[in-house]
Amino acid sequence: MATIPKKTQQTRDRNSEVLARAKATIAGGDNSTMRVLSYHLPLIADRGEGARVWDIEGREYIDLNMAYGPLLFGHRPEKILDAVSFQIHKSGSQLGFPTEISIRTAEKLKALFPMMELVRFSSTGTEAVASATRLARAHTGRSKIIAFEGHYHGWSDAVFHRYHAPLDQLPADRMGPALPGTIGMNGAPHDLITVEWNDAELLERCLAQHRGQVAAVIMEPIAGNSGVLEAQPGFLAEAKRLAHEDGALLIFDEVITGLRVAAGGAQQLYGVTPDITIVSKALGGGFPVAAFGASAEIMSHIAAARMFHGGVYSGNAAVMAAAEAMLDEITEHGEQIYGHLHAQADRLAAGLGEIMTRHNVPHVMQHVGPMLSLFLTTGRREPLTTYREVRQHADFEKYIEFQHALQRAGVYFHPNLFEPMYLSTAHTADDLDEVFERVEDACRCLWPR
Ligand code: PMP
């Protein structure tokens, strides 16, 4: 029987030791709760390059997390770093005035997302989404927002709901007031209603129940925070029609999908254009940037300073240099980039699925381009279409065990199966072959025949 190479005692201790040290100074050991969950095997990152990351012990991992998505061109992409370096050395990082680099970046973003007649940059997806929902409320004069179960839109009081709620805490009739995402929200999110994903009739009923009061329907057009759950054929267009019929706006949170599943995001892939779009992760290629945009009419509330949107670091020049370089690459080499990403992702999905099937492991493999979910299940083999189905059928414990085995064998992806795997242009066919080999070994150990 194959064995998964175990970390040496010393290796495990060093990562754990440093994490323990971190906990004495940084609450919980790191700066996002998602990176220090109780079931994480400690991994303190030292450096990354291309598709690989190294821990402080010098152990190398094929990275299928890509920093939760931003690293579309892998770790330390030369052209992006050169652009940032040039900008900060030549002109400065934080200037505190309008700059030509942010104007150019906005123009180039707009070329990929033509619905964004006017844009604003922020530093994080959370801020951009909070601004987008405020904008929808300002524009419509209405207060309610409809979101979907299992969709995540950042952790602001505006929209942070308990997107991974246990099944028994979700409303029995599949729609209802959103549950607060954390303690300390003082009753927020206010006026946020959640509805089960992928059911147009239910959305119609929800809109009817709140007739004339809904400012916007917000969604991840490909759900990516409860595993990859693609919209059912026709659902996006129908959601748009229903929202508009009621006078509500449609918001696409393309923080994950923008510049990933296609240059112009999910809206380009499916041909459905929302009223407000948010993009982030891939736009910065590893630098903290987000953008939201809409028609000049909708954005006029911000343009005329009736609605406030701020941020000392919004449009920071170093970050704009990264975003401009990302956009330049995508604009110039889009066909190659997305061709490569989709081909590699198809191969990874097919390969993982084949291995799991051969080892008779109940699973469902789902992906849209380079965002992929391997759902280990308790028996289910048919596609999963909603958060509730994932909750019901996924085997979270087994996935953690599987992830630990792979992490020990030098392949990293997030241990929570709600988090997609991500590929970058830096991942080669050889990287995938290595992944397959190690997954094969893990299967032999975890599911011996
Ligand atoms: N929206 C979506 C769809 C996301 O996936 C995320 C982050 N995972 C956010 C918003 C929030 O972005 P940030 O973490 O940059 O605030």
Side-chain angles (χ1 to χ4, degrees), residues 68 123-129 151-155 219-220 222 224-225 253-257 278 280-281 289-290 419 422:
Y68 297 78
S123 302
T124 67
T126 294
E127 290 168 82
V129 172
H151 291 217
Y152 174 67
H153 302 294
W155 47 279
M219 64 170 72
E220 298 179 61
I222 302 161
N225 279 287
D253 176 347
E254 296 227 42
V255 165
I256 292 178
T257 53
I278 302 118
S280 182
K281 299 191 176 190
V289 66
E419 279 293 321
Y422 292 108

Side-chain angles (χ1 to χ4, degrees), residues 239-313:
K240 178 176 175 175
R241 190 187 69 75
L242 292 169
H244 284 185
E245 197 174 70
D246 184 52
L249 303 181
L250 179 68
I251 305 178
F252 275 3
D253 176 347
E254 296 227 42
V255 165
I256 292 178
T257 53
L259 305 101
R260 183 182 318 283
V261 295
Q267 53 196 270
Q268 181 190 340
L269 191 67
Y270 300 111
V272 178
T273 308
D275 301 297
I276 305 178
T277 298
I278 302 118
V279 293
S280 182
K281 299 191 176 190
L283 175 62
F287 288 82
V289 66
F292 65 99
S295 66
E297 187 199 345
I298 293 174
M299 292 296 281
S300 70
H301 305 286
I302 295 175
R306 287 190 297 275
M307 189 199 114
F308 188 78
H309 163 257
V312 165
Y313 287 112

